[in-house]
Amino acid sequence: MSSDVFGPALALLGIPFFLGGSVGLLRFPDFFTRVHALTKADNLGLGFVVLGRLVQADSWTVAFKLVLIWALVLLSSATTAYLMAKSERMKGTVPWSRP
């Protein structure tokens, strides 16, 4: 019974983080802050969605697969953000600073 309440509640808790990452992508002033907003907010949002699904998981194998997917997304998004930022810095792009 509690998994029927807490699972969707945790998954819905992830939505504001996805929304925040999307707003950050649209509103932040430069490439570096946009990438930071996407990687941090989306990983946290996905974490809440995975936790919501873990509460409702039928078996340990399903739970393991969910955690593995989340870990792979965390690793790949951090690595991709690092490589993109490094590429921009090598092009000579400087991070935004307040005037």
Side-chain angles (χ1 to χ4, degrees):
M1 180 63 174
S2 65
S3 67
D4 294 337
V5 175
F6 290 122
L10 284 169
L12 286 174
L13 192 59
I15 291 174
F17 292 100
F18 286 122
L19 184 63
S22 299
V23 169
L25 175 66
L26 297 173
R27 300 284 306 196
F28 282 157
D30 73 331
F31 174 80
F32 299 104
T33 54
R34 290 176 183 165
V35 168
H36 180 77
L38 282 177
T39 53
K40 299 302 179 191
D42 286 350
N43 284 332
L44 194 54
L46 181 62
F48 279 116
V49 171
V50 167
L51 282 175
R53 295 303 300 155
L54 280 175
V55 172
Q56 296 178 326
D58 294 333
S59 65
W60 288 103
T61 57
V62 172
F64 177 73
K65 288 177 187 178
L66 285 169
V67 171
L68 183 64
I69 289 169
W70 186 34
L72 290 174
V73 169
L74 284 171
L75 181 66
S76 66
S77 68
T79 305
T80 303
Y82 169 76
L83 291 174
M84 290 183 345
K86 184 178 177 183
S87 173
E88 284 296 311
R89 289 292 289 164
M90 290 178 72
K91 288 182 194 175
T93 306
V94 292
W96 177 81
S97 63
R98 202 172 284 241

